[in-house]
Amino acid sequence: MSEKSSLITELEALQQQAEQELAGLTSESDLQNWRTQFLGRSAMVMQIFRRLPEAPQEERPGIGQFANQVKSALEEKLAEKMDAVKASALQENLSGESLDVTLPGRSPSRGRLHIQTKVTREVCHIFAEMGFQVFQSPEVESDDYNFELLNIPAHHPARDMWDTFFTTEENVVLRTHTSPGQIRSMRAFHPDPIRVVLPGMCYRYEQTDANHEIQFNQLELLVVGKDITFAHLKGTLEEFAKRMFGRDVRTRFRPSYFPFTEPSAEMDVECFVCGGKGCPACGSKGWLEICGCGLTHPVVLKNGGYDPDVYTGFAAGLGIERISMLRYRIDDIRNFWRNDVRFLEQF
Amino acid sequence: MELVLSWLKEYVDVDLPLPELAHRLTMLGLEVEDVHVIGKPLPTGENKGFTFHGLEWDKDHFVVAQVDEVMPHPNADRLVLCRLIDGQGEHTVLTGAPNLQEYKGKGPLDKPIKVAYAKEGSRLYDGHKPGFELTTLKRATIRGVESTSMICSEKELGISEDHEGVMILDDDAPTGVPLVDYLGDAVFSISIPANMVRCSSMIGLAREVAAYLDQPLRMPDLTLPKGEGKANDAVKIEIRNPELNPRFVAGLIRNVEARPSPYMVQLRLKLSGMRPINSVVDATNYVMLEAGQPLHAFDYDVLVKRADGKTPTIITRTAEQGEILTTLDGVEHKLEDYTVLVADTAGSLSIGGIMGGEESEIRPNTTNILLEGASWNFINLRKSLKYLRINSEAGYRLSRGVHPTLAEIGVRLCLRRMLEWSGGQLAEGLVDNYPLHYEDPTVAITTADIKRLIGIDLTAEEIAGLLRRLMFVCEVKGDTVTATAPAHRMDIGTGVNGRADLAEEVARLYGYERIPSVRLDSELPPLRSNPKEERNQLFQDTLVSMGLQEVISYRFTNPDQENRIYPPESKPQGVAYVELQNPIAVDRNVLRRSLLASVLDNLERNARQRERLALFEIGPVFLPVKDQLLPDEPMRVAIAMCGLRYPSAWDRKDKGTFDFFDLKGVVESLLKALHVTDIQFEADSNPSFHPGKCAVLRVNGEKIGWLGELHPQVTANYDFGDHTRVQAADLDMDKLFSLSPKYFETNPITAFPPVIEDLAMIAPESISSAEIVRVIRATGGFLLKQVELFDIFRGEQIGAGNKSLAYRLTYQAPNRTLNDKEVGKQRDRIIAALEKELDVKVRKAE
Ligand SMILES: [Zn+2]
């Protein structure tokens, strides 16, 4: 072996030693030490150019080139090793951070609307899509608006249909329905055509039980125009029933009586609890009484300021609590205003 | 109203399956609630949603039989042995029925007793057990006598609850015929709408069914046999107020004998919910159920006696104010001056159409009867009924309007029934005083009206055809039908109202289900916004987004309940409430004035359930206003919070509870959502709140409401469980919303970085943070964007009575990066102002 190749031999041996040592290293700091040892300023590979004079002139370029090859080979190996070490260190770290994912989560404090706010909004929303606007009126009403102007004169037998809370102020009652809003909206909007929903709290003087409340939400519709027929009443309410209870739901209209509508009807919706087969929710009838309705009585139109020879209209009324009770199988209407959070938080 | 099918069939042919009949009645507006089937098989398959219940009597086991002899039982006094023929053979049947005892040991009977007989193996109800329990009739030996079959009571057959004795059928009951063929029936319970009282009778119902099926109606025979002596000579009738008593018809029958009515009559009364009394009383009730006309029977001899033996005069008149009458139920009534009395020259006899008087009522031994059929003003009658608090079948019908024609029909029918069931002789003719004739309205309706109202195309002939089925008298001219209402209904108006009435009748008979469904296609009305509704939703949604639960309370309360929001000595006196005349309970006698009280009631109801509660309500309170008919109903928002600030979790160490600043944060966020500006919270005193933890909220200088921690004396008025500190607010929603701008400006997002500086100072406790912030803001100039308190500290280092406050100030320019010099200039100005205007010492930055 000549003197010229001994530098190369030395480099080869060095490379072998470096690679061997590198293979056994596992930590980043060891790798740093290794870099200082084999690729640092004083490392042999870096010092080789200073030792080139030891070699013959003509061999020097070859040695230099070889040294550069060794250097980049080691750097490449180091980089590879570094990646591997980092990956395994990360792996180790992550596995140390493992959670028991079955532990319960921390609940944020979630707020909720009262269920009846939600359902009322839903019903109003459906009617809003059909062009109906919300109109509100007072809960404490005069006998005039609650009865007289709605074609329910004093002492008329139709008054038996409403058990009324009277206040100590003469001729002032707690409204028994949202219908006073029919007169109020007509008087407010006359002579424009009307399409409104009248939601709100109403009151009935009766003993409370699972199905009867002294305070309940009603929602009425009123349409007034020059070409409104019973066919529109049917079309509107059927569409509502489909949007509220499902496209396939069947409805039926049968004659009924309300003093402020004529013809009057009751709309039944096929029981969505049992699909019409009969169950406790529908009293095994297969039908649910959902809403009373009818063409606006001429007297009511007149009292609202509309000429019944020119205008026609229809009205309909729904009980909002009843809808919720059917939908969520609530068996006691008194739950709504008791506000037990164990009830409210279920929605 | 109970519809007894066999009875209905006397007036109209109807052969529909029971579910179909129930369906058609319901679709006519006569809603069937349930059907009691008597003896016949229950419908199978499609029930059209109706409930049928009852006992089937199979033809092999249940037959009409006759008892030819009633013999004593050898070993038991209370039992008898009946020799019975069931059409196939003779049997000895054991029974303990008390109503057969009287025939015991009388040997073979001249007239056999017809009974309902059940053979061995029959399925029927156990008469001795409460309720209706099915049993099978088995061979048994009772006191040494073998028994295989039985004579039935109504209860055992599922007809009624009566188990007093066995049924004794009418003499013409055909022995050997299956019982179901003789007595089988169905009773439909129908709810009659208030405008269809004309259907509160068998004939009334038959009319509707006949119209629906387009079948003729068979009216019962109304002719009266020749009488003895003229009724007109036996009584005079004087009507003083025809408006209130348009018609009074009377008939006279002499020498009647009250006895048990025929079984069929008793059965029909029972099935209709009335109690059989005797053949005279039963006749009046039967005819009321048959024709719809309430009738009243007077003891004619009492009337004659009261007239001192002369011809009595019946006078109808209004009562004197305070006049007293004792009715036949023994109750003394003090009358109002609008109530109409039937009287004679000696005084009052009965309350017209409502209830008879004690003195002239008929008794079992009454023989001469004056029968009254009258029509009364229904509005006035209802008013009297309400005042007198009397509920009766007669009152129910008469207070809804019974046509005057029925007064005569009723009297005629009833006299016939009395003659038939009680014997006697009629006086010739009727006494009929009809001073105010009811004009049956005539209404014109056109094909265009039907199109305009109902949305269907019918020809005038078709319209007339439908109305004629309902017995309207119709004339057709071109497109117009002129219809006169039949003389049995009072629900048809005139003019435009009558037109609506006719349209309803046309639609009802045409069938609602045949009317097409059409979507609204007319022009939309002008769109108006509803700010109130938008406001409600904004408040609700904002508060919900902050984790609060909405509640909706009863509006009913009582002053003591509400006054719990005040400490004992601070309860307000003489506050006016909307007060109820007829509260449902003493503790719910007024409408609320305080929404805070509502929310606190709810907090109390839930306090023991939860370690954390945050509730709110929005809603009206009711404030009476002097000289104003209706109260004001201002909208308020109330909030109440107590318990843990954060929901607990398995590793959460923070067990801090809600304090004033949690509540204030909620209120501030709400104000931010409303984009109101110029907000002030000022320390204030309010009896409901802790004197040191209460603020009044002002926006634009207007008082909006209070927030704070409840005064411990208020907390003590409630049972909040372990929760000792409750944060609550009560704000004026209307005012707050009116101050909220509809539109507001947004700030541009600037690309230039802000400069943030901290400013710490020592201030005496007497200086509020709000004052410091006001000074900082006032001097900070437009570059100062935000002032935020981030630390507050008290300790020895800064001396007693002092506090250290640290604020973070954010400066930013929209168009450039600020330099230290500019910011420094602002800072110096702020520090100078603070130290000059307030007694604070700004700590120099380190
Ligand atoms: Zn059902």
Side-chain angles (χ1 to χ4, degrees), chain B residues 410-482:
Chain B
V411 170
R412 284 174 176 272
L413 278 173
C414 191
L415 290 172
R416 285 179 59 99
R417 308 284 183 227
M418 282 182 173
L419 272 180
E420 192 184 335
W421 303 336
S422 313
Q425 300 89 40
L426 291 182
E428 181 69 27
L430 300 175
V431 191
D432 185 358
N433 199 341
Y434 192 2
L436 185 67
H437 196 82
Y438 182 80
E439 201 69 53
D440 290 313
T442 298
V443 183
I445 190 163
T446 64
T447 52
D449 290 331
I450 293 295
K451 177 77 179 162
R452 190 171 81 92
L453 294 168
I454 311 298
I456 52 174
D457 291 300
L458 292 181
T459 65
E461 270 309 329
E462 285 170 324
I463 294 168
L466 291 170
L467 291 172
R468 279 182 188 129
R469 274 157 63 178
L470 287 163
M471 299 180 177
F472 284 81
V473 178
C474 298
E475 210 179 295
V476 177
K477 211 177 249 173
D479 288 335
T480 304
V481 178
T482 308

Side-chain angles (χ1 to χ4, degrees), chain A residues 22-33:
Chain A
L22 184 66
L25 300 179
T26 54
S27 79
E28 253 182 87
S29 59
D30 288 345
L31 291 181
Q32 291 304 343
N33 292 341

Side-chain angles (χ1 to χ4, degrees), chain B residues 493-738:
Chain B
T494 54
V496 67
N497 294 348
R499 202 164 65 200
D501 295 329
L502 291 193
E504 177 168 67
E505 290 306 85
V506 168
R508 197 165 65 90
L509 219 57
Y510 178 79
Y512 282 11
E513 67 274 25
R514 290 171 62 199
I515 298 170
S517 298
V518 177
R519 300 258 194 103
L520 284 171
D521 45 11
S522 53
E523 193 193 340
L524 272 179
L527 288 168
R528 298 172 175 88
S529 65
N530 186 331
K532 263 187 151 182
E533 188 52 30
E534 287 160 22
R535 167 201 67 187
N536 290 355
Q537 299 202 4
L538 176 61
F539 274 72
Q540 285 166 329
D541 292 342
T542 305
L543 291 167
V544 163
S545 75
M546 291 187 274
L548 277 75
Q549 167 72 51
E550 188 190 19
V551 295
I552 301 177
S553 313
Y554 286 103
R555 264 70 149 162
F556 301 91
T557 184
N558 74 81
D560 288 342
Q561 172 90 355
E562 268 213 336
N563 281 340
R564 296 196 299 164
I565 62 170
Y566 302 107
E569 318 80 62
S570 309
K571 291 194 198 309
Q573 302 295 321
V575 175
Y577 279 93
V578 172
E579 197 179 334
L580 300 176
Q581 225 181 76
N582 54 337
I584 203 83
V586 280
D587 60 347
R588 294 179 172 195
N589 63 335
V590 300
L591 297 189
R592 69 179 176 205
R593 286 185 60 102
S594 164
L595 193 63
L596 177 62
S598 283
V599 175
L600 291 179
D601 286 347
N602 286 314
L603 197 76
E604 180 180 42
R605 197 164 305 126
N606 288 293
R608 290 186 178 278
Q609 301 294 339
R610 290 286 188 273
E611 53 182 12
R612 172 181 202 281
L613 280 165
L615 308 178
F616 79 96
E617 178 165 7
I618 68 164
V621 296
F622 302 87
L623 312 178
V625 179
K626 215 173 175 322
D627 300 326
Q628 183 179 305
L629 186 66
L630 299 182
D632 280 349
E633 299 183 11
M635 291 289 286
R636 308 220 33 120
V637 52
I639 299 168
M641 301 157 74
C642 67
L644 293 183
R645 176 175 294 132
Y646 303 109
S648 43
W650 49 276
D651 70 337
R652 190 169 267 154
K653 301 289 179 289
D654 185 345
K655 294 284 178 197
T657 55
F658 284 126
D659 65 18
F660 176 84
F661 297 103
D662 293 300
L663 173 67
K664 188 176 174 192
V666 168
V667 173
E668 284 170 332
S669 298
L670 179 63
L671 297 170
K672 217 170 267 178
L674 293 167
H675 296 278
V676 292
T677 49
D678 191 8
I679 300 161
Q680 285 169 287
F681 291 92
E682 282 168 23
D684 199 47
S685 66
N686 175 312
S688 298
F689 296 103
H690 186 301
K693 300 178 182 178
C694 171
V696 59
L697 168 64
R698 280 200 177 79
V699 176
N700 286 355
E702 287 205 61
K703 201 179 270 180
I704 300 297
W706 282 268
L707 59 151
E709 185 170 306
L710 284 189
H711 196 290
Q713 284 181 304
V714 171
T715 312
N717 290 338
Y718 293 84
D719 175 8
F720 291 131
D722 296 335
H723 304 286
T724 50
R725 293 190 305 155
V726 174
Q727 313 302 327
D730 187 350
L731 309 174
D732 183 334
M733 205 167 142
D734 291 318
K735 204 174 272 176
L736 198 45
F737 189 70
S738 72

Side-chain angles (χ1 to χ4, degrees), chain B residues 790-806:
Chain B
F790 72 90
D791 188 36
I792 184 155
F793 174 76
R794 293 177 176 85
E796 280 173 29
Q797 312 90 294
I798 44 178
N802 286 334
K803 59 191 171 186
S804 161
L805 300 155

Side-chain angles (χ1 to χ4, degrees), chain B residues 197-211:
Chain B
V197 72
R198 65 178 189 281
C199 295
S200 294
S201 69
M202 287 307 142
I203 294 174
L205 290 166
R207 267 194 215 104
E208 294 292 320
V209 173

